[in-house]
Amino acid sequence: MTSQISTKNLYESDYVAWLDATLIQLKNHDVQYLDWKNLTEEIEALGREQRHKVESHLLRLLIHLLIYQYWHSEKSWSGNGWEKEIDNFRLELDLLLESKVLANYLTMILEKDYQKARKSAIRKSKLSPDTFPLHCPYTIEQILDPDWLP
């Protein structure tokens, strides 16, 4: 049985070993000696990381949808690459959005991320800000639809 003191030391000296020991403790319902402080922090970090991934993939997807739709002078040169990136971001989001919590999170951050994507598309393309809609012109269904392109 792992003591609380040695588990805390293990967290600081060998993270993977700490994970293994913590998993064994959880499987054995050995909650008395769990390193609660670090376990709580790790679970919180996992949630933040998953939300960050959703936001990152959504942001990059929106940027590519915008430049694909509005940057006409570059589309003949870069359109195929943009399509591949759009597909990749959709695949990544599809995996993450199996979680209803993360799917709801995407809905909550869509407009905020669109504003960031719009600014990025303006900077990247050097097109007039008037080129891009002020609010997200895409539905969530369109954004995630693997067969849809603007």
Side-chain angles (χ1 to χ4, degrees):
M1 194 174 286
T2 308
S3 75
Q4 190 173 14
I5 294 171
S6 64
T7 303
K8 284 183 181 178
N9 291 338
L10 194 57
Y11 181 83
E12 295 168 8
S13 64
D14 189 340
Y15 178 71
V16 174
W18 176 85
L19 287 173
D20 292 341
T22 301
L23 179 60
I24 290 168
Q25 288 175 311
L26 289 169
K27 284 182 177 181
N28 293 333
H29 302 279
D30 182 14
V31 295
Q32 180 180 0
Y33 296 106
L34 275 174
D35 178 2
W36 287 105
K37 179 183 178 293
N38 289 319
L39 180 58
T40 302
E41 289 175 7
E42 288 299 318
I43 290 173
E44 288 173 345
L46 283 172
R48 281 191 306 272
E49 179 184 344
Q50 295 302 299
R51 285 178 179 87
H52 175 75
K53 285 180 181 180
V54 167
E55 189 158 0
S56 176
H57 293 308
L58 176 61
L59 178 61
R60 293 184 296 163
L61 175 55
L62 289 169
I63 292 167
H64 280 77
L65 288 171
L66 286 170
I67 61 175
Y68 183 86
Q69 182 172 4
Y70 295 103
W71 200 3
H72 303 294
S73 65
E74 291 294 314
K75 195 169 186 176
S76 62
W77 300 101
S78 302
N80 287 338
W82 295 338
E83 287 179 19
K84 287 177 186 172
E85 291 297 309
I86 288 167
D87 287 343
N88 289 337
F89 299 136
R90 283 177 169 157
L91 288 172
E92 292 294 332
L93 278 172
D94 187 54
L95 294 172
L96 290 165
L97 298 180
E98 290 177 7
S99 162
K100 290 192 186 320
V101 169
L102 294 178
N104 289 336
Y105 181 68
L106 182 137
T107 302
M108 289 174 28
I109 64 168
L110 177 59
E111 191 60 35
K112 178 185 75 148
D113 266 18
Y114 175 76
Q115 296 305 319
K116 291 178 185 177
R118 182 177 179 271
K119 287 178 185 175
S120 183
I122 291 166
R123 279 192 307 273
K124 181 175 182 130
S125 68
K126 307 277 191 257
L127 295 171
S128 165
D130 295 338
T131 304
F132 302 98
L134 289 175
H135 299 284
C136 187
Y138 316 122
T139 65
I140 290 175
E141 292 76 21
Q142 289 172 323
I143 291 168
L144 299 176
D145 184 345
D147 298 319
W148 181 83
L149 286 171

